[in-house]
Amino acid sequence: MSGIAAARSPSQSAGNPWNEDAARGIVQEHRNLDGAMLPILHALNDHFGYVDAGAVPIIADELNLSRAEVHGVISFYHDFRKEPAGRHVVKVCRAEACQSMDGRKLEEHIRQRLKTEFGATSPDHVYTLDAVYCLGLCACSPAIMVDGELHARVSPARFDQIMADVAGGKR
Amino acid sequence: MSTRIYVPNDSAALALGAERVVRALRAEATARGLEIEIVRNGSRGLFWLEPMIEVATEQGRIAYGPVAAEDVAGLLDAGLLIGQAGHRLHLGRPEEMDYLKKQERLTFARCGIIDPLSLADYEAYDGYRGLRRAVTMTPEAIVEEVTQSGLRGRGGAGFPTGIKWKTVLGAQATQKYIVCNADEGDSGTFADRMIMEGDPFLLIEGMTIAGMAVGASRGFIYVRSEYPDAFRRLQDAIVAANRAGFLGPDILRSGRAFNLEARMGAGAYICGEETSLLESLEGKRGMVRAKPPLPALRGLFGQPTVINNVLSLAAVPTILDKGAAFYQNYGMGRSRGTMPLQLAGNVKFGGLVEKAFGITLREAIYDFGGGTASGRPLRAVQVGGPLGAYFPDALLDTPLDYEAMAAAKGMLGHGGIVVFDDSVDMSLQARFAMEFCAIESCGKCTPCRIGSTRGVEVIDRIRDGIEPEKNKVLLADLCDTMLDGSLCALGGLTPFPVQSAVRHFPEDFNRPSAKAAAE
């Protein structure tokens, strides 16, 4: 597991197995920042690939908040995963600029190709498909991000090529 | 002597293969025994030409693009290193290109030219001249200069920046804050991203001047998580600025302090709303706050806070350097200065166009954008992001300034222009506006939280031909409720795209249902 994690960039999904001591260490490292909550959650999300339910009481304890408040923050933001993502994370922009360049057709192609719905992980845990609302590449739509890497002007054929490269370890 | 080659590391250039071009250049140079120095610049914003690489020659910089890794060997054969013409990708001097020549670049004067993390480059191109002047001025004089320039909030609301600053200057507190709203979530916009990636010291300088002006010693830049490259570059730039004394306890030996941190958002569109952003920075759910109190009086951690968009703050160094009159001289009516427009979506020459206020939508789309990318007829244009109105061809002569756009029942917003060709289904776009609002609503007020979901349902019924006339009345009523009753712009402006679609493209809401057609 750690070998796989090491081979991936920090922006990717993978992470270290859940560990309470490591989590507390991360929380303590950031707790003195003003408005420490989001930096803490990002650090946990990056380290473990998601924010384990076990982190809630630790954060609550360290920041002197109720568990409900911590849970409320985690559940508010799209970025914080409640469970580990698949081996590859595909983020597809579904906003207007991409729509204007046949983005909806690309969305449909990707859903079928990955056999995964938006916001879900494939049963074999290989792909997680996320919707994003704008990657800021609107002059070269449609745009996607695969394992932290951006791709612009993506056609269905181009998408298949990108995924073939990803599966073949070329990226 | 080694030849300098510029290859952008702007995220759009990266998404189009800039990294592979760099690898190919290095490999070919090594194989041929050529000495090259690769500089990673930002983008000049001509995205149909990215990756656009430039070679420093005796005649100045010569551009080539769009360059793929596969083109590199052929380019070197064709005299790339001396900027030789003849190759099909040869573009000549960038300054001579029409797209750039026709612009008035003040904020984007350096973007794409310099190495974003080189302070020497930044200063060589007039950087930190604004701050050097500001440290010799009183806070009141700085605020007055910004007020006189006529600068208005570039995030979309268009509120006069100087007046906001004056309120914070006049507030009594031991700690005040400067917060930069870099949660550029509107589809069709990328100007903030380009500045943060291509000229981060400009934003840092603008925030530092704001700190001097209102007496704030701390600042935060709230960057959306969809922009990881911009976030990292800002962090690097902040370290460099601290090291050189442009940030920290004693700015340019003025005895005044300004400490800056970049913070990452977490994928919530609503956090682009200023009070929601402040909640998020404080570590809470991004729930919108009721106003008053204004953030200028009770903002971050309850303290007086200047909260401005990236482009507002990035305009400030120019104003302080060249004076209010210089900046004020650009523009029309009550919209002064320049506006970085962003041509996006189905447009042939998409990119960044910085012009004085006053050019029309048609000029932007045709004179710069070259019409649709697909070559099909243009049908609709959405201006100002997902909360902006859709314009039909008949309204394209509307000038792009705050008042003229409002008069046409639209808004300029953050300057994003998304072009659609005739394959667009406007009832689907109206539905998306409601759907997006439902996904991104913070949930605090009912018109937005519930209204958006009901809006999707009503539009679905219209699309299905279920009592269409009755449901159109209901939709209009719902839009009025959201417009008047929502706490912030998300619920309050979602009716703009919906109602403009109904108003200008009624035929898309009148189609018989599949069921009715079959009968």
Side-chain angles (χ1 to χ4, degrees):
Chain A
M1 185 74 189
S2 61
I4 297 168
R8 292 180 197 161
S9 72
S11 56
Q12 279 178 242
S13 58
N16 305 295
W18 169 248
N19 176 309
E20 218 162 278
D21 292 336
R24 192 171 286 274
I26 289 169
V27 177
Q28 284 172 346
E29 198 182 314
H30 294 88
R31 58 166 289 180
N32 291 325
L33 290 171
D34 288 327
M37 180 73 92
L38 259 62
I40 286 172
L41 293 174
H42 271 304
L44 291 169
N45 209 46
D46 285 350
H47 186 80
F48 298 110
Y50 72 111
V51 181
D52 192 276
V56 174
I58 299 174
I59 300 170
D61 181 36
E62 294 288 337
L63 297 187
N64 196 22
L65 295 168
S66 72
R67 278 181 287 171
E69 283 170 302
V70 177
H71 174 78
V73 175
I74 296 171
S75 61
F76 184 85
Y77 295 97
H78 299 302
D79 280 2
F80 304 126
R81 296 186 188 286
K82 292 184 190 65
E83 48 199 42
R87 200 183 316 150
H88 301 295
V89 175
V90 178
K91 296 187 177 192
V92 180
C93 178
R94 304 184 78 180
E96 289 90 340
C98 289
Q99 291 167 5
S100 78
M101 290 298 281
D102 275 340
R104 288 194 178 95
K105 270 182 211 153
L106 180 67
E107 288 171 23
E108 192 51 36
H109 174 82
I110 292 175
R111 274 182 43 209
Q112 288 181 6
R113 170 76 170 62
L114 303 184
K115 298 186 180 66
T116 309
E117 293 303 314
F118 280 98
T121 296
S122 61
D124 56 6
H125 227 71
V126 175
Y127 301 110
T128 292
L129 179 56
D130 284 336
V132 287
Y133 293 93
C134 201
L135 293 165
L137 307 177
C138 318
C140 19
S141 300
I144 65 171
M145 190 189 252
V146 180
D147 295 342
E149 196 168 324
L150 291 164
H151 302 273
R153 285 195 208 110
V154 181
S155 61
R158 177 84 193 106
F159 175 78
D160 291 348
Q161 184 58 50
I162 292 165
M163 293 318 289
D165 289 353
V166 165
K170 278 198 215 164
R171 286 168 193 278
Chain B
M1 202 192 81
S2 87
T3 309
R4 183 176 292 180
I5 304 176
Y6 294 83
V7 185
N9 60 0
D10 172 275
S11 353
L14 296 176
L16 294 166
E19 215 53 58
R20 292 184 60 232
V21 172
V22 169
R23 285 200 292 270
L25 275 168
R26 289 198 202 286
E28 279 293 325
T30 307
R32 297 175 188 217
L34 303 169
E35 273 190 59
I36 60 165
E37 176 200 356
I38 295 179
V39 176
R40 306 306 298 271
N41 54 334
S43 172
R44 296 204 194 228
L46 285 64
F47 288 111
W48 73 100
L49 295 174
E50 291 289 0
M52 182 171 101
I53 72 172
E54 295 173 37
V55 184
T57 73
E58 282 167 9
Q59 317 91 275
R61 278 158 73 157
I62 304 292
Y64 294 81
V67 177
E70 295 71 24
D71 297 320
V72 167
L75 279 167
L76 285 167
D77 292 341
L80 171 77
L81 297 192
I82 53 166
Q84 198 168 300
H87 194 280
R88 71 187 160 83
L89 299 179
H90 178 271
L91 300 166
R93 300 183 57 207
E95 306 80 51
E96 300 301 320
M97 295 166 71
D98 257 6
Y99 201 84
L100 283 172
K101 229 161 77 177
K102 288 190 294 187
Q103 298 195 27
E104 289 142 319
R105 289 200 165 187
L106 305 182
T107 299
F108 281 81
R110 267 175 303 264
C111 193
I113 297 175
I114 61 166
D115 172 348
L117 290 175
S118 161
L119 270 168
D121 270 15
Y122 184 65
E123 289 199 82
Y125 285 85
D126 296 344
Y128 276 122
R129 286 169 54 115
L131 180 65
R132 285 184 197 283
R133 180 162 167 250
V135 293
T136 67
M137 295 163 72
T138 63
E140 289 76 12
I142 303 173
V143 171
E144 185 57 20
E145 191 88 57
V146 173
T147 308
Q148 286 305 319
S149 75
L151 177 66
R152 291 167 68 181
R154 298 284 186 260
F159 189 81
T161 306
I163 293 180
K164 195 183 267 187
W165 289 20
K166 198 173 179 181
T167 310
V168 179
L169 172 62
Q172 297 300 317
T174 47
Q175 181 69 62
K176 298 178 187 177
Y177 295 98
I178 308 297
V179 174
C180 172
N181 183 345
D183 195 21
E184 180 180 52
D186 289 356
S187 176
T189 63
F190 42 79
D192 294 355
R193 179 183 66 66
M194 283 180 66
I195 286 293
M196 292 187 283
E197 292 178 356
D199 197 7
F201 292 121
L202 178 66
L203 175 59
I204 293 171
E205 183 183 354
M207 292 185 73
T208 311
I209 294 170
M212 305 277 130
V214 304
S217 60
R218 291 191 69 188
F220 290 94
I221 309 173
Y222 186 92
V223 188
R224 60 202 298 263
S225 60
E226 292 85 348
Y227 287 178
D229 293 306
F231 183 75
R232 279 192 291 270
R233 204 141 316 144
L234 277 173
Q235 283 188 313
D236 292 345
I238 289 170
V239 170
N242 268 306
R243 210 171 280 155
F246 290 110
L247 283 175
D250 184 15
I251 308 287
L252 294 172
R253 299 194 189 85
S254 64
R256 288 186 265 183
F258 190 67
N259 291 295
L260 187 58
E261 271 181 63
R263 287 289 176 87
M264 195 183 258
Y269 177 77
I270 190 60
C271 291
E273 197 283 332
E274 59 179 16
T275 62
S276 161
L277 186 155
L278 294 174
E279 290 285 302
S280 184
L281 261 183
E282 291 180 7
K284 302 172 191 157
R285 291 163 69 88
M287 304 287 277
V288 172
R289 294 178 187 168
K291 288 191 277 194
L294 294 169
L297 297 173
R298 289 188 61 188
L300 187 63
F301 303 113
Q303 302 303 314
T305 302
V306 165
I307 176 161
N308 279 140
N309 175 256
V310 173
L311 297 180
S312 314
L313 291 161
V316 168
T318 308
I319 293 166
L320 266 292
D321 174 24
K322 303 221 161 80
F326 170 85
Y327 193 78
Q328 216 261 349
N329 222 8
Y330 292 88
M332 68 176 272
R334 288 175 51 218
S335 304
R336 311 310 309 178
T338 58
M339 181 72 201
L341 301 167
Q342 298 125 83
L343 294 175
N346 198 330
V347 65
K348 203 166 170 192
F349 306 128
L352 190 286
V353 176
E354 183 175 355
K355 283 289 283 179
F357 285 96
I359 76 162
T360 66
L361 255 177
R362 194 180 304 280
E363 286 165 343
I365 294 165
Y366 287 99
D367 296 356
F368 284 95
T372 61
S374 61
R376 297 170 64 106
L378 176 149
R379 181 138 186 264
V381 182
Q382 189 178 29
V383 186
L387 309 176
Y390 285 98
F391 286 76
D393 185 79
L395 285 179
L396 291 191
D397 294 311
T398 310
L400 287 157
D401 89 326
Y402 294 112
E403 276 71 35
M405 292 302 289
K409 296 194 173 176
M411 63 163 188
L412 180 56
H414 192 49
I417 298 173
V418 180
V419 178
F420 290 79
D421 71 13
D422 64 350
S423 64
V424 68
D425 175 347
M426 294 307 294
S427 68
L428 204 53
Q429 295 310 118
R431 184 190 192 277
F432 176 77
M434 285 290 191
E435 188 189 9
F436 183 72
C437 181
I439 295 168
E440 299 296 337
S441 175
C442 83
K444 184 157 178 167
C445 72
T446 316
C448 174
R449 184 184 69 245
I450 308 284
S452 52
T453 298
R454 292 290 96 87
V456 171
E457 295 163 1
V458 175
I459 295 172
D460 275 344
R461 286 202 289 276
I462 295 170
R463 281 170 53 82
D464 288 343
I466 300 167
E467 299 184 282
E469 292 315 313
K470 213 169 125 185
N471 278 304
K472 272 185 233 176
V473 174
L474 190 60
L475 180 63
D477 189 53
L478 176 64
C479 282
D480 283 345
T481 304
M482 290 176 71
L483 204 114
D484 296 332
S486 298
L487 196 53
C488 83
L490 179 56
L493 296 181
T494 292
F496 271 51
V498 176
Q499 292 294 67
S500 60
V502 174
R503 193 180 321 123
H504 302 305
F505 307 93
E507 60 276 22
D508 285 16
F509 295 81
N510 284 338
R511 281 164 315 177
S513 68
K515 221 187 291 169
E519 280 164 9

